[in-house]
Amino acid sequence: MDEESSMLSAFWARSLRDSIPPQPVVLYLFVELPESEKEVLDRGAEWAISGRADLVCVIEQFGRGGLPHAGPWRAGLTGRGVPHERILVIETDLGDGDPSTLTEAKALLRECWRRGWRNVGVTAATFHQARVFLTVISEVIRTCPDLNVYSIPAE
């Protein structure tokens, strides 16, 4: 089997094999536009309050294309009853790059590696969820093969 076929096989195995674990996970909320953020914040709050997530993470992106994101989303989560200490802001510097699903996935995986997290869920708006999950899984195969990633759809 050539390297490309091997990666594709690993990709499908990773994306199809896992069900959501019974123990709490770290839940990462992917950036969405204001018209799509409610469902993502609702899911993050639901998981944090129920104890299914130890932490809910959001990103703060700096640089030319960065968006002020973490402050409003932190307020949205605390307004839904999530304790401040259960919300983690992951900071990343985009430099001259633009924000994207890939740059966000890479920032998340750097934080997972730095903190030693083994189980992480990813949540995005319903229309964005498949792209988010596939992007994260692709990066996991290349950089963090021991990380378990779970798709947690917003709705």
Side-chain angles (χ1 to χ4, degrees):
M1 182 181 297
D2 65 18
E3 184 178 349
E4 186 175 318
S5 296
S6 178
M7 280 193 72
L8 185 59
S9 177
F11 173 80
W12 286 116
R14 288 298 297 258
S15 62
L16 297 174
R17 75 157 192 221
D18 293 329
S19 58
I20 298 168
Q23 72 272 18
V25 299
V26 172
L27 185 62
Y28 181 82
L29 308 181
F30 269 78
V31 172
E32 297 298 340
L33 295 172
E35 60 269 17
S36 303
E37 69 185 26
K38 181 187 179 308
E39 64 182 303
V40 178
L41 291 169
D42 287 348
R43 177 66 76 205
E46 173 193 334
W47 274 58
I49 292 166
S50 72
R52 294 190 76 188
D54 288 325
L55 282 174
V56 177
C57 303
V58 297
I59 197 163
E60 187 70 85
Q61 301 170 329
F62 301 100
R64 180 179 58 91
L67 303 170
H69 179 74
W73 277 42
R74 181 183 288 165
L77 289 165
T78 56
R80 287 168 169 80
V82 178
H84 183 73
E85 63 273 7
R86 304 273 306 277
I87 303 167
L88 176 71
V89 175
I90 298 173
E91 296 182 349
T92 190
D93 187 348
L94 297 172
D96 289 331
D98 292 318
S100 70
T101 303
L102 180 59
T103 58
E104 219 173 321
K106 287 180 176 183
L108 169 61
L109 296 183
R110 280 192 302 272
E111 195 71 17
C112 289
W113 180 83
R114 189 174 79 73
R115 293 180 178 267
W117 293 337
R118 301 271 302 131
N119 296 303
V120 64
V122 294
T123 298
T126 304
F127 71 90
H128 193 200
Q129 185 68 29
R131 178 178 175 186
V132 159
F133 187 60
L134 296 176
T135 300
V136 173
I137 291 294
S138 295
E139 283 303 300
V140 164
I141 290 168
R142 282 193 280 278
T143 63
C144 305
D146 294 333
L147 180 65
N148 298 308
V149 179
Y150 304 93
S151 178
I152 316 289
E155 287 191 349

